[in-house]
Amino acid sequence: MLPLLKLLEDGKEWTLSALTEAIANQFKVTEEERQQLLASRSQSIISNRVSWAKCYLKQAGLIHYPQRGQYAITPKGHQVLKEAPQG
C-alpha cells in the first residue's frame, strides 16, 4: 500500500490503470507476470492487488475519489507520508 500512496503524493488524480502501470514498472514486473490472471480469470493479479491496496487506503482515509475512476491523496495521506512509515 505504501508504494501506491507514494505515487499519489504528487497531488494529481490518477486512474486505476495508470496506478497499476506505474506500480508494475516500479517493481519491474515482467510482461508475462502482468498477464497472469486470478483463478477466476476475471482480472490480472497485479490489477487485483492494486485495487485492494486502493480500497484499504480509502478506508483509512488516506486517499479519496474526487470523481468516478479517479484517485487522489488526502491531507491525512500526506501526513502519514511525512511520518516516513516503513511499510
Side-chain angles (χ1 to χ4, degrees):
M1 288 180 274
L2 185 57
L4 185 62
L5 190 60
K6 286 182 178 180
L7 279 176
L8 293 167
E9 186 176 23
D10 66 5
K12 297 178 183 176
E13 293 179 7
W14 289 68
T15 63
L16 181 59
S17 60
L19 287 169
T20 302
E21 182 72 20
I23 290 290
N25 290 339
Q26 181 179 347
F27 287 97
K28 298 176 176 52
V29 177
T30 67
E31 189 58 37
E32 182 180 318
E33 292 169 327
R34 293 174 195 223
Q35 300 302 320
Q36 290 180 343
L37 300 176
L38 296 170
S40 65
R41 306 190 77 58
S42 62
Q43 185 180 32
S44 70
I45 292 172
I46 185 77
S47 180
N48 178 267
R49 299 306 186 259
V50 171
S51 292
W52 278 109
K54 172 189 61 79
C55 288
Y56 291 131
L57 290 169
K58 169 81 162 91
Q59 288 176 354
L62 304 180
I63 67 170
H64 69 110
Y65 307 160
Q67 58 183 337
R68 184 177 179 169
Q70 299 288 315
Y71 311 98
I73 196 167
T74 64
K76 184 178 177 182
H78 281 294
Q79 183 60 42
V80 166
L81 289 175
K82 284 181 186 176
E83 296 168 6
Q86 297 302 307

